[in-house]
Amino acid sequence: MKFLDPRVNRLNLPKEYNEGFEEAQELDQWQTYEVFHQRSRGEQHVHVGCVHAPSAELALLFAKEQYARRSKCTNLWVVKTADITPSDYEDEDIFIPSVDKTYREAYGYKVRPLINTFTQNSSSESVVKVFIQEITNSKGKKTYIIKK
Amino acid sequence: MYGSLSIVEYDNHGKKYHEEDPKKLAEFEARIERGEKIEPMDWMPYEYRRQLIRMIEQHAHSEIIGALPEGTWITRAPGFKRKLALLAKVQDEVGHAQLLYSAAETLGKSREEMINDLISGKSKYSNVFNYPAVTWADSAIIAWLIDAGAIINQVTNAKGSYGPYCRALERICYEESFHLKYGYDNVVHLATGTPTQRQMVQEALNRWWTPIMHFFGPPDKASVHSEILMKWQVKMASNDAMRQEFLNMYVPKIWELELVIPDPNLKKNSNGVWEYTEPDWDEFMRVINGDGPCNKERLAVRRVAEEKGRWVRKALLSPTEKYVTPLA
């Protein structure tokens, strides 16, 4: 067969080459590894995709070519897909808090209104101002008294 | 021979739209309606799965076969910088195929099956790659205008509903932008060069105009079928809409270089719609069914790569390995 690409011509393929071929069998392309990419030091490793590889070592090499060829990268992890245990999307509702759990969130704590009320009242002298005085007696011992 | 391959058969295998579980179908459609992505482990209608596999697989094959017409010119690229750039571009295309194969795999078709279907001719790839890159200018036109078409297609599909496909496309689009600039640079250099160079790029444009017009596929016919695919956000825009977008963006750039587009009827009408001569759709069908100038060569090259590499892959395969479907 005469082809347009000289490199293909150099393969000297017989005329009947495309008729019938041996199909790829299971695992011809090996198993998959999931790839995690860290852009720069201090950032999280982020899942970016997978590679097919026969070993973790080669998975790292393929991951470098596939996922770190362009964008910045400082570190890669590869993990066998089979070793990951995912939660089920059908159970997505387990992540919705069923009771008020604002006590475990930073936004659940609001002290400013209390402080504002306090300082307002304080300036209108409706609250009793209290201060503490430190007294040292003749034996050198410290005591405190409350003064209004 | 398929017996030993991993084919995942889901509970609703082979079901038609109206045969699907109505409650699950409603939940699925509501999720898409809300703009949420579908992930591999979610329930999905059989037809959604089937169409996505077909589409993503075809896209993956196109990337890997698409590397061949341009690859022809690596050894003969004019200058070291262009050779480096072309090598990088071809590597990108093969990388894109890997990303897309993985996305299709999450839907339950193994990579081996996809490779077998490509080589046996059962699966298709983009028709344009069955045409030869006769001169360096052809490779420039491909890198500019075919990649431009691919970007329009991919940016559109990246807004679709299937998570893994969207993620792969985002990564691909980012890399394609270099291809487009590289191709434009090559075309501009020829078009602003000597009369011989201008003639070379004009002849390449003449050769590639029909395949470019074929690129987005035949004109759309309204059908219930495509309505469902639009609703499921598998198909995001009509073939004609994407073709119009392409003409709108690139015809002015081609004309700016004073190149002639080989279609005397091409013009933008008063409504802002491009009018053109329909390309030969019989030729499109003929080529897609195997009778193009390079179909045999493309498959032969792919097959040589598969067969010659097989013993290496086999030697590296650990006997305890097990295949599981990729997660995302």
Side-chain angles (χ1 to χ4, degrees), chain B residues 181-326:
Chain B
K181 279 289 179 72
Y182 155 85
Y184 191 40
D185 184 84
N186 281 332
V187 169
V188 169
H189 267 83
L190 292 172
T192 58
T194 64
T196 317
Q197 286 174 320
R198 277 192 61 81
Q199 191 190 339
M200 195 182 183
V201 75
Q202 178 63 59
E203 283 171 6
L205 180 63
N206 295 348
R207 278 190 288 275
W208 283 88
W209 188 250
T210 301
I212 287 166
M213 292 297 279
H214 283 157
F215 184 80
F216 299 98
D220 313 278
K221 292 185 197 89
S223 71
V224 181
H225 184 71
S226 65
E227 234 171 71
I228 292 174
L229 292 182
M230 289 273 206
K231 181 172 156 193
W232 286 346
Q233 299 182 15
V234 170
K235 200 169 166 54
M236 297 300 289
S238 72
N239 295 350
D240 285 331
M242 287 193 283
R243 194 163 16 241
Q244 283 290 333
E245 195 179 336
F246 172 82
L247 293 172
N248 214 22
M249 285 172 82
Y250 292 94
V251 170
K253 287 194 168 77
I254 298 170
W255 281 345
E256 188 189 9
L257 297 170
E258 291 177 24
L259 293 171
V260 180
I261 294 171
D263 179 0
N265 299 321
L266 182 73
K267 65 165 195 294
K268 199 176 192 174
N269 69 21
S270 51
N271 301 325
V273 178
W274 286 88
E275 290 173 7
Y276 50 85
T277 314
E278 283 294 337
D280 183 349
W281 292 110
D282 292 337
E283 176 185 331
F284 175 80
M285 290 316 293
R286 206 166 53 239
V287 175
I288 221 166
N289 287 318
D291 192 20
C294 296
N295 300 50
K296 285 194 178 69
E297 173 179 337
R298 301 289 183 243
L299 290 185
V301 172
R302 191 78 280 278
R303 188 174 156 189
V304 169
E306 281 307 313
E307 287 184 349
K308 290 201 169 171
R310 190 163 285 165
W311 71 272
V312 181
R313 292 194 299 276
K314 217 169 183 172
L316 289 168
L317 179 67
S318 149
T320 56
E321 266 192 54
K322 259 198 168 125
Y323 178 80
V324 296
T325 307

Side-chain angles (χ1 to χ4, degrees), chain A residues 17 24 26 52 65 69-70, chain B residues 4 91-92 105 116 303:
Chain A
Y17 183 72
E26 188 171 20
H52 285 248
E65 283 304 306
R69 167 169 100 245
R70 283 288 179 71
Chain B
S4 62
Q91 187 191 26
D92 281 352
E105 272 175 85
N116 289 342
R303 188 174 156 189

